[in-house]
């Protein structure tokens, strides 16, 4: 059974940094692209980042480019999102999602982890 | 402002059919596969439709997807109160090199 479990969410002040983790199980992580998607309170889904299975291709949404960094450790079955220079508008539930065969398809999602940025 | 445009809400009576539209452009829907997601409050999204019109295992035939040009449509027949949820379309945008979602549509089963 495919499982994705995010962790690392926290309450922090504007300008702060945070690293989210996503633990994958039930499949071979290296065989799949992974994504981060977030959802602000009461708002819709916002795609943030894509990383290919080998980390050779990485893409970011303009809203986080230069502030967020995605990485993965296939040997540890883990995906990460390093978030710097956090703003109030980054407050959201952050989901990791396994990529499908076709880019832009997300067959499996974690339960999400809440990041709150507030002074 | 979402790259893909969905109606904010739709409603229909139990047993009826509803459609949810998703409009984009040639750089996203026009040249890439569309997927649809169902989300209940406080839970993660769930894949309903992928590759425009395919259903993952376990998704009832009541759910269907189609695509024409730069628009896609999710159809739900035999509406049940348990279908009340938010529905999102998604795809890849080749010009942005980014995943994109619609703003979401809240389905109310009256």
């Amino acid at each position: 059974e495919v499982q994705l479990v995010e962790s690392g969410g926290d309450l922090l002040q504007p300008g702060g940094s945070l690293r989210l983790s996503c633990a994958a199980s039930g499949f071979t992580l290296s065989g799949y692209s992974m994504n981060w998607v977030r959802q602000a309170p009461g708002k819709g889904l916002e795609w943030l980042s894509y990383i290919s299975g080998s980390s050779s291709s990485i893409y970011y949404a303009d809203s986080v480019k230069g502030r967020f960094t995605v990485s993965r450790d296939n040997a540890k079955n883990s995906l990460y999102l390093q978030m710097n220079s956090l703003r109030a508008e980054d407050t959201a539930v952050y989901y990791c999602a396994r990529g499908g065969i076709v880019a832009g398809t997300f067959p499996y999602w974690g339960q999400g982890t809440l990041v709150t940025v507030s002074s | 402002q979402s790259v893909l445009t969905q109606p904010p809400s739709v409603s229909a009576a139990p047993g009826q059919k509803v459609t949810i539209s998703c409009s984009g452009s040639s750089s996203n829907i026009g040249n890439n596969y569309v997927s649809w997601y169902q989300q209940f409050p406080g839970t993660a999204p769930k894949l309903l439709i992928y590759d425009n019109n395919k259903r993952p295992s376990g998704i009832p035939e009541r759910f269907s997807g189609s695509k024409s040009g730069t628009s896609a449509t999710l159809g739900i027949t035999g509406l049940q109160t348990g279908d009340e949820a938010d529905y999102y379309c998604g795809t890849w945008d080749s010009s942005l090199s980014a995943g994109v979602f619609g703003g979401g549509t809240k389905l109310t089963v009256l």
Side-chain angles (χ1 to χ4, degrees), chain A:
Chain A
E1 178 192 6
V2 172
Q3 282 201 321
L4 299 169
V5 179
E6 302 92 339
S7 61
D10 204 350
L11 167 62
L12 60 163
Q13 294 188 339
S17 296
L18 194 64
R19 187 198 201 200
L20 303 183
S21 299
C22 171
S25 61
F27 67 101
T28 302
L29 186 63
S30 61
Y32 295 88
S33 63
M34 296 294 293
N35 299 263
W36 286 98
V37 178
R38 71 182 177 186
Q39 186 170 35
K43 302 297 184 182
L45 302 174
E46 179 186 14
W47 173 87
L48 296 180
S49 183
Y50 163 102
I51 183 169
S52 62
S54 64
S55 302
S56 59
S57 294
I58 292 176
Y59 303 107
Y60 296 99
D62 286 345
S63 58
V64 303
K65 199 173 296 182
R67 298 189 301 125
F68 290 11
T69 302
V70 63
S71 63
R72 61 194 295 161
D73 186 334
N74 290 334
K76 293 184 177 179
N77 294 314
S78 292
L79 174 73
Y80 307 102
L81 187 66
Q82 177 67 43
M83 304 187 296
N84 299 329
S85 304
L86 282 161
R87 308 164 180 166
E89 53 264 37
D90 294 318
T91 294
V93 173
Y94 285 73
Y95 297 100
C96 65
R98 196 182 89 174
I101 295 173
V102 171
T105 303
F106 314 105
Y108 296 98
W109 299 66
Q111 86 289 347
T113 187
L114 177 62
V115 174
T116 303
V117 184
S118 174
S119 54

Side-chain angles (χ1 to χ4, degrees), chain B residues 9 13 15-16 26 45 48-49 57 61-62:
Chain B
S9 63
Q16 296 301 304
S26 59
L48 273 184
I49 297 290
S57 174
E61 292 182 7
R62 301 189 297 108

